[in-house]
Amino acid sequence: MPLTAYPLLDERFALRQIGPGVRYLMNYMTGEYYELEEPQLAALRLCDGTRTVARIAAEVGVSPGDADAFITAQAEDGVVALHDGAQPAEAPYYRYCDPPHLSDVLIEVTGRCNLTCAHCFNSDFNTDAALSRQMTTDQILALIADLDAHNVRRIQISGGEPTMRKDLWTIIDAIDRHRMYLDVISTNATLLNERLAERLSRRFKENGALYISMDGLTADTYEAVRGEGVFPGFQRAMERLDAHGCRVFINTMAVRTNLHQMDQLYDWMASHPSIKGWRIGLPKVLGRYREFHDTLEVEFEEVILVFKRLLMRWLTDRPGFRMELSDFFRTDSFDSGLEDHRPDDHPCKYALTNMTIKPDGTAVFCASLEVHPPAVLGNVAVSGVGPVWHGRPHMAMREMAIRDLPDCGPCRYSRLCGGGCRSNALLSYGDIRARDPRACEAMRMLEAEIIPDLHPDLQDRITALIDHGRPFAPATGFRRFI
């Protein structure tokens, strides 16, 4: 490449920096990002189409040969385009923020929903009073700009039912304009007509996913929790998405009415190549589920045994989708490695870099919680992102460590479990530092029921994280506080 060429950073890329030491190049359409050295960042910031490679080398203070080699490599990867003459354009997209870094944000763009699911934890936001307080288009667009200014890397959209917002694509366009990666849109899919299914499929054909709630394979099972007459619409939407090749991730809530269909659901997932993941969760006793949990809730031990059966099938079949049991286990950890939690680690690494924004702008550290202290971090619609993210509630949350959890620090499973889910602890005991009763049960069942049936190599990898010289005090006497 001649040193007289004019490099121009491709508009798919953004340059982001957190403090003096963390720099990366990000493709906001795919979510991929690459760490950069300081001279590399400086060089890419100058790839504005008005400077030659030689001039960039001089301004950064590197040799022409080094600049030539680096920019040539970027051109080969499609990061920059090389021109024979000047191509004046906007300066490369660059954002800087101070740590701690808010990297991922879930925005619940509405509380409105066309269904009345029995296990909905967010139903309190689907009342006339709550809907009158939800963020307007202008407020959401201002929020997106504010999140970009704080170097947020990835956005997820949820609700309510986000497709009920007439300005949904205005919101999506704003996320693109600010070069943040739209990773997920969560939907019940029942409102996806052909046009909307095709448009969403184009969006999620190669990257990200449409997260779809599916609680049964037949009308009687599906409608037992989602309402009468809605299953045909769901079926049509899934056929449309499948025809367009949309990447889909299925969320299933395990309840009394569908536990018997889990094997059939597994077969259905395996027969659809567009399904990239299946998450089995248990409803939290929030929202509308307070009214129905006595009739729908299943014992966690039952769910673990069903998941064990599905896991054994997955290990044999290795289908094209990953599988997870909410809060506890993901099959991709077999490949990425099981995390070894240490006493000084935070018990909720999600809360260190993530935030959920409710429809009215209230920010909480976890989507699975209502707006009660200490879950509430503030309101971004009122005070903006900065005061919320750097405010006292979040800073206090950051100071926790596994060793600070009285029951978890000395437990034999602490390295494997990491203290479980802080939301479960808060909901069960009213104390964010309490034990997670579901995690306690999951660890006991894992050791007694699942590990003995795994391949010896997997057995060794998991049992290495269990301290058999320590006691295990199972969670008892918990009650729901929120």
Side-chain angles (χ1 to χ4, degrees):
M1 178 191 71
L3 294 173
T4 54
Y6 291 78
L8 177 63
L9 188 71
D10 189 277
E11 63 180 11
R12 295 170 299 166
F13 292 90
L15 299 166
R16 298 191 177 274
Q17 183 171 359
I18 301 94
V22 179
R23 318 162 199 88
Y24 60 89
L25 169 74
M26 178 176 168
N27 183 331
Y28 79 91
M29 294 303 295
T30 66
E32 297 172 297
Y33 62 99
Y34 313 92
E35 292 188 7
L36 299 169
E37 299 295 330
E38 186 173 0
Q40 295 172 332
L41 173 64
L44 289 174
R45 289 189 65 186
L46 298 177
C47 290
D48 59 0
T50 68
R51 295 171 170 86
T52 64
V53 176
R55 181 178 169 187
I56 290 173
E59 290 189 33
V60 174
V62 298
S63 71
D66 287 344
D68 175 63
F70 174 67
I71 293 176
T72 296
Q74 303 312 303
E76 292 172 350
D77 289 340
V79 175
V80 300
L82 301 174
H83 299 278
D84 294 332
Q87 301 285 326
E90 293 184 3
Y93 204 88
Y94 169 76
R95 291 291 184 269
Y96 174 93
C97 74
D98 290 317
H101 182 212
L102 172 60
S103 67
D104 296 61
V105 172
L106 169 64
I107 307 175
E108 295 176 356
V109 294
T110 183
R112 194 183 305 278
C113 187
N114 61 312
L115 302 183
T116 54
C117 300
H119 52 45
C120 180
F121 69 87
N122 233 14
S123 60
D124 292 347
F125 285 92
N126 194 18
T127 65
D128 289 341
L131 291 171
S132 70
R133 296 191 298 269
Q134 77 176 17
M135 290 184 288
T136 65
T137 302
D138 288 344
Q139 286 178 309
I140 291 181
L141 296 184
L143 169 63
I144 290 169
D146 200 2
L147 293 173
D148 174 34
H150 284 81
N151 244 332
V152 169
R153 184 175 70 213
R154 183 167 60 180
I155 299 287
Q156 297 183 348
I157 288 177
S158 183
E161 174 49 48
T163 61
M164 294 191 75
R165 278 201 76 123
K166 295 180 179 179
D167 59 359
L168 177 61
W169 289 98
T170 300
I171 294 170
I172 293 172
D173 289 343
I175 294 170
D176 287 347
R177 188 165 60 251
H178 287 279
R179 303 196 191 186
M180 293 179 286
Y181 176 45
L182 179 57
D183 181 33
V184 166
I185 296 178
S186 296
T187 174
N188 62 45
T190 59
L191 298 178
L192 302 189
N193 57 30
E194 175 60 29
R195 182 175 178 274
L196 187 52
E198 189 275 333
R199 195 171 184 183
L200 288 169
S201 296
R202 275 193 281 116
R203 179 80 202 194
F204 295 115
K205 202 173 189 71
E206 302 293 337
N207 302 281
L210 201 61
Y211 275 44
I212 296 178
S213 304
M214 181 179 182
D215 296 317
L217 200 57
T218 56
D220 59 334
T221 304
Y222 182 92
E223 294 178 0
V225 293
R226 296 196 171 268
E228 186 177 350
V230 297
F231 187 63
F234 172 80
Q235 283 183 305
R236 288 191 294 272
M238 295 305 295
E239 290 168 359
R240 289 167 180 148
L241 293 170
D242 196 42
H244 290 298
C246 182
R247 290 170 54 88
V248 169
F249 196 109
I250 298 293
N251 284 316
T252 300
M253 286 295 171
V255 291
R256 177 64 55 197
T257 53
N258 66 11
L259 205 60
H260 68 284
Q261 278 195 349
M262 291 298 175
D263 283 284
Q264 292 169 265
L265 282 165
Y266 178 99
D267 293 335
W268 185 87
M269 310 282 171
S271 67
H272 289 74
S274 60
I275 306 297
K276 303 303 178 185
W278 184 24
R279 178 179 181 268
I280 301 171
L282 287 93
K284 296 184 187 294
V285 188
L286 299 170
R288 195 176 294 115
Y289 193 57
R290 290 192 187 97
E291 179 183 350
F292 293 99
H293 80 274
D294 285 340
T295 55
L296 289 177
E297 192 160 351
V298 292
E299 293 295 328
F300 188 55
E301 182 172 340
E302 293 181 69
V303 179
I304 289 286
L305 292 175
V306 169
F307 186 77
K308 172 190 174 181
R309 186 171 69 245
L310 298 174
L311 176 61
M312 296 307 160
R313 292 187 62 185
W314 189 94
L315 288 169
T316 300
D317 303 341
R318 292 287 177 160
F321 63 90
R322 81 168 193 250
M323 191 171 68
E324 63 179 89
L325 181 61
S326 175
D327 300 333
F328 305 113
F329 183 79
R330 292 168 52 160
T331 52
D332 54 5
S333 64
F334 287 141
D335 300 318
S336 60
L338 294 165
E339 186 170 4
D340 184 355
H341 300 276
R342 295 298 180 173
D344 290 332
D345 289 347
H346 198 280
C348 180
K349 292 183 179 178
Y350 178 90
L352 294 177
T353 58
N354 292 253
M355 183 166 67
T356 294
I357 298 172
K358 293 293 185 178
D360 64 354
T362 300
V364 292
F365 75 84
C366 177
S368 300
L369 287 174
E370 292 181 305
V371 287
H372 296 286
V376 175
L377 305 178
N379 190 299
V380 297
V382 174
S383 58
V385 173
V388 171
W389 184 245
H390 296 283
R392 186 173 191 144
H394 180 246
M395 290 299 104
M397 177 71 180
R398 295 185 66 87
E399 293 172 358
M400 253 195 298
I402 294 172
R403 69 167 68 253
D404 300 326
L405 310 181
D407 295 321
C408 302
C411 176
R412 65 189 286 155
Y413 299 116
S414 64
R415 289 177 61 194
L416 181 62
C417 171
C421 174
R422 296 299 86 212
S423 295
N424 287 342
L426 184 60
L427 289 167
S428 300
Y429 296 100
D431 183 356
I432 202 169
R433 287 177 166 77
R435 68 182 75 189
D436 169 3
R438 284 183 174 173
C440 292
E441 182 68 5
M443 293 299 104
R444 184 187 69 79
M445 293 287 291
L446 176 69
E447 186 171 17
E449 298 287 345
I450 297 179
I451 292 177
D453 290 338
L454 295 176
H455 185 278
D457 177 60
L458 286 177
Q459 289 186 18
D460 292 342
R461 287 164 59 188
I462 297 174
T463 55
L465 300 179
I466 298 175
D467 188 342
H468 297 279
R470 288 183 168 192
F472 167 58
T476 56
F478 70 92
R479 60 188 179 93
R480 296 181 178 90
F481 276 72
I482 295 180

